[in-house]
Structures are given as C-alpha cells and as structure tokens.
Amino acid sequence: MGSNVLTPMMNDVGFQPDSFDPIAIVAATTHVFCVSAESPIRSMADLVSAARERPLSYSSAGVGSVGHVVVELFSRRAGIEFLHVPYTGSAGALNAVLGRHVDMTLPTTGSAMPTIRNGSIRALAITAEARSTVAPEMPTVRESGFDLLVANWRGILAPKNTPAAVRDALTDLSRRIVSDPEFVQQATQAEGEPPIFQDGAGFARQIASEVAEYKDLVAHMRRG
C-alpha cells in the first residue's frame, strides 16, 4: 500500500495505483501503536487523553509512509493532533521512541515484536481486524474503542495489459506458495502475521477501496 497507493498519491513518481495488473495479495502486514516502556501511556484511551492535554509527537519511516498517513487518519477520526517527526526508515523511527525523542510510533507488527518482547517498548493496540496470532495479548484499535483498520498488503503486480494466461499462471503459483507450510512458518515469523491470499480481482478492489479512503486525506496533507 505504501509504495503503490500512498506514494503515487503523495508524489509525482510516474505511475498511479491503477498502472499495473494486480496478480495476488500474499500477505497483509498490520501495524502497532507503540510508546516507550517508561511512558505513562498504557492504552489507546490514554494516548488520546494525553494528546488532548499536550502536543504529542510521533515518528515515522518518512513523509508519505504508511505510518505517517495512518496516524494522520487516526488523529482526524479521534479529533486530536500529533506532531509528525519523519525519519529515513523504520529503524530510525523505532529508535526515536526507544530514546524517548518522540512519544509514539506506528511500526509494522513484525518489526516491532522483538522490542515489544524484550520490554523496551509498550504496544498499545494493533490495526488488525482481529488479535494477532503471535501476540494475542495485544488488543486491536477497534477493541480499544476507535475506528481504524489497516493492513499494509504485500502483493504481486504485473505490467499493464499482461496476457490473461500469464496472469492466471502467476495467480495459481502465488496461491500454491502461500499454502506451503514452510512459507507459512517463515512468513509468520517475519511479518508477525500468517500470509493470506487474495486473487487479482479482489486485489483490484482493495486498491480501489484504499484510494477512496485515503484520497481526501492525502490531498489535505499535500496542501498542508
């Protein structure tokens, strides 16, 4: 979603979200709201309450990244404001919370799990529809009382107007790989969530839905 939906909406990169033929979604990476383990903020309700009392800062992997746009979407829906502090990658954004240079960040669940497990950061909630299978103790954002659901897909796309036979062969291969037990185990360990499968038609609907959801927000961010 970051590279193929948000980036072309934020910047002139020479392509648009519909510039490719969607083949398959093979994973959907969730994100997790994180604060320092030393922070007094222990829940999403605490986060919103604190943001209403004083300006809170958050780090992201860069302007236009998924973390940046999703936090802005959340702040709009919750009626609060955050100060955005962009870094040049997810590692820097996470280290900013570890060093208490910012109040909060929104990394992918998989990348955050080691520091969550060792107690360096505190997970407030994940952006998934259901609790994570690898960390069921973390509530979802919706469970926490806020309407936010985000899964940053990993997908396979082909050049526009790729022959149907080629698209079908790639879709079938993707389906078989996602069903392989070894791939499932490795992907779950890396991403913090098991892989999923969605065919090209469903993938196209997903992209269209995301464009509709983020279009106005991204336009506002570009102006501001």
Side-chain angles (χ1 to χ4, degrees):
M1 183 175 71
S3 62
N4 283 70
V5 175
L6 299 180
T7 295
M9 292 170 68
M10 289 284 292
N11 305 288
D12 183 10
V13 292
F15 64 88
Q16 291 299 314
D18 61 355
S19 295
F20 304 90
D21 284 342
I23 300 298
I25 294 176
V26 296
T29 303
T30 58
H31 291 253
V32 56
F33 283 86
C34 293
V35 296
S36 166
E38 301 175 14
S39 171
I41 297 170
R42 310 191 70 87
S43 68
M44 294 300 291
D46 286 350
L47 180 69
V48 171
S49 178
R52 287 175 176 155
E53 294 179 0
R54 67 177 179 87
L56 295 184
S57 59
Y58 75 96
S59 57
S60 80
V63 174
S65 65
V66 174
H68 177 205
V69 176
V70 171
V71 172
E72 293 302 316
L73 177 64
F74 174 74
S75 66
R76 173 182 282 195
R77 291 181 175 178
I80 54 179
E81 291 187 7
F82 294 106
L83 172 64
H84 179 220
V85 183
Y87 283 76
T88 55
S90 57
L94 192 58
N95 285 335
V97 169
L98 290 170
R100 303 197 72 181
H101 304 301
V102 297
D103 296 294
M104 184 264 291
T105 191
L106 187 70
T108 63
T109 304
S111 66
M113 282 310 301
T115 44
I116 293 172
R117 292 295 191 209
N118 69 23
S120 300
I121 61 173
R122 177 182 301 128
L124 303 180
I126 59 173
T127 62
E129 187 170 3
R131 293 195 179 204
S132 168
T133 57
V134 298
E137 70 278 6
M138 294 190 300
T140 68
V141 177
R142 283 183 169 178
E143 279 184 282
S144 304
F146 302 95
D147 182 23
L148 187 72
L149 175 63
V150 177
N152 183 19
W153 48 259
R154 305 282 193 261
I156 299 169
L157 301 106
K160 199 72 173 177
N161 300 318
T162 294
V166 176
R167 296 200 310 268
D168 291 344
L170 290 171
T171 299
D172 181 63
L173 180 60
S174 302
R175 183 186 290 108
R176 287 189 282 126
I177 290 173
V178 169
S179 300
D180 178 78
E182 183 178 358
F183 177 81
V184 171
Q185 180 182 9
Q186 292 181 2
T188 302
Q189 183 177 2
E191 298 285 3
E193 298 288 342
I196 63 171
F197 177 81
Q198 178 65 267
D199 65 15
F203 194 177
R205 289 193 296 271
Q206 177 72 19
I207 291 173
S209 173
E210 289 168 353
V211 169
E213 180 169 23
Y214 291 106
K215 180 173 60 177
D216 291 343
L217 175 63
V218 169
H220 173 75
M221 292 169 66
R222 290 185 66 175
R223 291 193 300 268

